[in-house]
Amino acid sequence: MNVNYLEQINGFQRWKEVNPLPASAIALWYELLATCNKAGWPEEFTVRNAVIQASAGLSRKQFDSARQMLIDMGLIRYKKSQRVNSAGKYSMNYFPIVQNGQQKGQQEGKQEGHQKEHRRGNERDIYINKTKLNQTNNTPTTTDARDEEKDAQVFRVFEQEGFGTLSSVLVDDLRDMIDTYSSEWVIRAMHEAVRCGKRNLRYVLAILKRWKAEGIDEPWEVRGNAKHGRSNQRGMGEFDFLSL
């Protein structure tokens, strides 16, 4: 099945704007989505409840309540195994979701979400047309439209390099970095952090701040250049003051 990870995260964020969920249910949904992504987006996937509970940082009571809430809201499906000590099967209901039996307020909220999504689609079309026009006229322009493909590249590197599982907070933090430093800088900084054995965003941010302070366009290519007073032997020791 062809599912876009970023579209699911964006769809969930828009959905919960009008369908509030407790933090436990949000954490569980993100963990289930990440597990489904790693499995290649199957119709059903098997995972032990103890594993997903620990990954979401929930107690057993919180886990059971959060899972039932996600089921009731139509976000997931769950089949308990008939065999003792065997893992159950989960299924994700991908966005956009058509749900039955929801309260009127939730239906109205979903319609509003679709309207917002439609407006965002129009904004992206306008952005693309403006970009093409300005490329022809060689005239710079500014826009609030996001390049979601570049966001997705950063999110993929974040998970593939072992920084952790994406959550709404981490998505916002990464997007702030992208807006400030560009997606290429963020990806390069994550690779550099991995090389140094520091898989956390504070270290990545420290690298980005140092590169920006050096005032060069492509700091990953000029490290060790004599005119900047550095050598390759120095490596990234300059960031080791961080107790991460």
Side-chain angles (χ1 to χ4, degrees):
M1 181 178 294
N2 186 16
V3 180
N4 186 295
Y5 198 0
L6 179 59
E7 286 181 359
Q8 293 307 304
I9 292 174
N10 286 338
F12 180 62
Q13 288 181 317
R14 289 193 293 268
W15 181 88
K16 66 185 179 67
E17 286 176 359
V18 292
N19 297 275
L21 289 174
S24 58
I26 294 173
L28 179 57
W29 185 89
Y30 274 110
E31 289 297 333
L32 289 171
L33 185 73
T35 302
C36 187
N37 174 42
K38 291 175 183 177
W41 306 109
E43 291 290 338
E44 291 183 335
F45 58 95
T46 301
V47 59
R48 290 187 175 276
N49 289 330
V51 173
I52 205 73
Q53 174 189 330
S55 298
L58 304 176
S59 68
R60 181 55 187 270
K61 184 177 180 180
Q62 289 174 322
F63 173 79
D64 289 342
S65 176
R67 183 179 64 189
Q68 189 59 49
M69 183 172 293
L70 294 179
I71 293 172
D72 292 342
M73 299 297 284
L75 295 174
I76 67 170
R77 299 184 300 278
Y78 175 69
K79 294 180 182 178
K80 186 176 180 179
S81 175
Q82 300 300 316
R83 300 174 60 186
V84 179
N85 296 326
S86 294
K89 293 183 178 180
Y90 287 88
S91 300
M92 303 296 297
N93 290 333
Y94 301 119
F95 288 93
I97 297 175
V98 178
Q99 302 182 60
N100 296 320
Q102 297 292 326
Q103 295 179 356
K104 181 179 178 181
Q106 293 175 339
Q107 291 287 355
E108 292 175 349
K110 186 170 63 177
Q111 291 174 2
E112 180 182 349
H114 289 318
Q115 291 172 356
K116 288 181 179 179
E117 186 173 357
H118 180 69
R119 287 197 296 270
R120 288 189 179 96
N122 289 338
E123 289 172 358
R124 284 194 294 272
D125 291 341
I126 293 172
Y127 167 70
I128 292 171
N129 291 334
K130 283 185 176 180
T131 301
K132 290 180 178 178
L133 178 62
N134 283 301
Q135 286 175 343
T136 302
N137 296 335
N138 197 27
T139 303
T141 185
T142 59
T143 179
D144 293 332
R146 296 198 65 85
D147 189 331
E148 293 191 354
E149 177 55 34
K150 289 186 177 180
D151 286 1
Q153 291 174 3
V154 173
F155 297 156
R156 282 194 293 269
V157 172
F158 178 88
E159 290 203 326
Q160 290 170 358
E161 293 290 0
F163 282 87
T165 301
L166 284 171
S167 67
S168 57
V169 174
L170 290 174
V171 167
D172 290 341
D173 289 344
L174 286 168
R175 281 177 167 167
D176 287 342
M177 289 186 187
I178 293 169
D179 292 342
T180 303
Y181 299 101
S182 83
S183 60
E184 183 179 13
W185 274 47
V186 175
I187 290 173
R188 297 279 189 162
M190 284 195 289
H191 287 318
E192 190 65 31
V194 170
R195 190 183 71 82
C196 297
K198 304 287 188 179
R199 287 177 170 83
N200 64 74
L201 289 188
R202 283 186 58 206
Y203 199 83
V204 172
L205 184 59
I207 294 173
L208 290 167
K209 287 181 177 179
R210 178 58 61 89
W211 283 349
K212 186 175 182 180
E214 290 177 350
I216 46 183
D217 294 332
E218 297 180 339
W220 50 85
E221 293 185 0
V222 299
R223 283 176 57 242
N225 191 311
K227 69 179 181 179
H228 293 285
R230 288 173 170 77
S231 67
N232 287 332
Q233 293 179 347
R234 182 176 181 182
M236 294 302 294
E238 58 196 295
F239 302 108
D240 289 343
F241 68 91
L242 292 171
S243 57
L244 304 175

